[in-house]
Amino acid sequence: MCFNGSVSLIRKLLPPRAGEPCLLVLGLDNAGKSSLTGSLADKLGDGNVTASMEVTEVRLKIKSTKLQMFDLNGRLKNRQLWANYYKNVRGLIFVIDSKDAARLSEARCVLCDVLLDERLRNVPLLIVANKQDALGAMSSRLMVDLMGLSRLEGREWIILECSVTTGSGIQGIIGWISKNIRK
Ligand SMILES: Nc1nc2c(ncn2[C@@H]2O[C@H](COP(=O)(O)OP(=O)(O)OP(=O)(O)O)[C@@H](O)[C@H]2O)c(=O)[nH]1
Ligand SMILES: [Mg+2]
């Protein structure tokens, strides 16, 4: 009997555990979510990683605080699973590929849709303008303009530039996480 398949199916639909701060990493496919998650796991992880095609869970420790981080796959067919993880969320990290201007409006629509969910109403948002090392990458300022982000109201939000490939901007992301899990 093959038991593993069923266990992982149940596991990936489980919501975050209550009591421990939880961070979600969302964004379109190819934005760099798993790359960012891997980099954070290298720096802050306790070595526990649970991965499937749809979700990767890493457990991080910042000073004495433990937290769970869920990196959810961004392919269209998998986005319907995201809402299973909206409970007990302390921070939302939305990753965007800064060199992919053609998909910026799709990223905007997906982000707006996520932010409409009641369970995420007051959750602080970090938008990561990733792939800043790439030729033609848009600046975060341009992305704020093109996505109309200045109209985003009712929650704390920030956009930070980053390149997971070179490591630039990662410390700023860690700073944002530290600040928001302490709340
Ligand atoms: N140039 C550049 N490429 C990057 C950077 N971050 C990630 N990538 C590349 O972008 C591609 C997609 O990265 P992933 O981390 O798999 O993207 P994802 O958001 O997890 O995608 P899904 O799991 O399909 O939702 C890979 O080829 C990465 O190597 C970056 O900072 N700069
Ligand atoms: Mg991924």
Side-chain angles (χ1 to χ4, degrees):
M1 184 173 85
C2 175
F3 200 55
N4 284 344
S6 325
V7 170
S8 68
L9 182 66
I10 293 165
R11 183 72 195 85
K12 78 190 173 202
L13 294 174
L14 280 180
R17 277 178 286 274
E20 239 175 54
C22 163
L23 291 179
L24 287 188
V25 185
L26 304 179
L28 300 186
D29 47 294
N30 200 50
K33 300 178 295 298
S34 300
S35 307
L36 175 63
T37 302
S39 168
L40 293 171
D42 284 347
K43 292 184 167 58
L44 307 169
D46 69 358
N48 286 313
V49 178
T50 313
S52 73
M53 285 296 288
E54 294 83 9
V55 56
T56 299
E57 178 189 356
V58 298
R59 302 180 67 75
L60 307 180
K61 196 172 172 196
I62 301 185
K63 296 197 176 139
S64 58
T65 309
K66 289 181 180 170
L67 65 145
Q68 306 164 263
M69 191 162 104
F70 291 93
D71 154 32
L72 304 181
N73 183 271
R75 263 170 273 165
L76 186 59
K77 70 179 169 82
N78 290 324
R79 289 179 210 155
Q80 62 192 335
L81 296 175
W82 290 4
N84 293 313
Y85 292 83
Y86 288 175
K87 228 170 114 186
N88 302 321
V89 177
R90 190 73 66 85
L92 187 59
I93 300 178
F94 193 89
V95 183
I96 300 180
D97 178 346
S98 310
K99 72 174 170 55
D100 197 352
R103 295 188 77 194
L104 198 62
S105 74
E106 184 187 358
R108 178 184 178 279
C109 288
V110 170
L111 174 61
C112 287
D113 201 41
V114 168
L115 298 183
L116 282 175
D117 195 288
E118 256 313 285
R119 291 165 294 178
L120 299 175
R121 190 152 60 104
N122 295 314
V123 173
L125 168 69
L126 165 62
I127 299 170
V128 174
N130 189 34
K131 306 197 188 182
Q132 287 294 319
D133 62 286
L135 200 65
M138 293 171 283
S139 68
S140 55
R141 181 181 290 212
L142 180 60
M143 287 163 76
V144 167
D145 285 347
L146 293 176
M147 293 177 78
L149 292 172
S150 50
R151 292 197 295 275
L152 204 54
E153 286 173 348
R155 82 176 65 232
E156 255 180 65
W157 71 274
I158 187 172
I159 183 166
L160 295 175
E161 294 182 354
C162 158
S163 162
V164 179
T165 299
T166 65
S168 80
I170 297 287
Q171 277 310 322
I173 293 171
I174 292 174
W176 181 88
I177 294 172
S178 310
K179 180 177 151 228
N180 283 288
I181 56 165
R182 276 202 304 272
K183 286 182 179 169

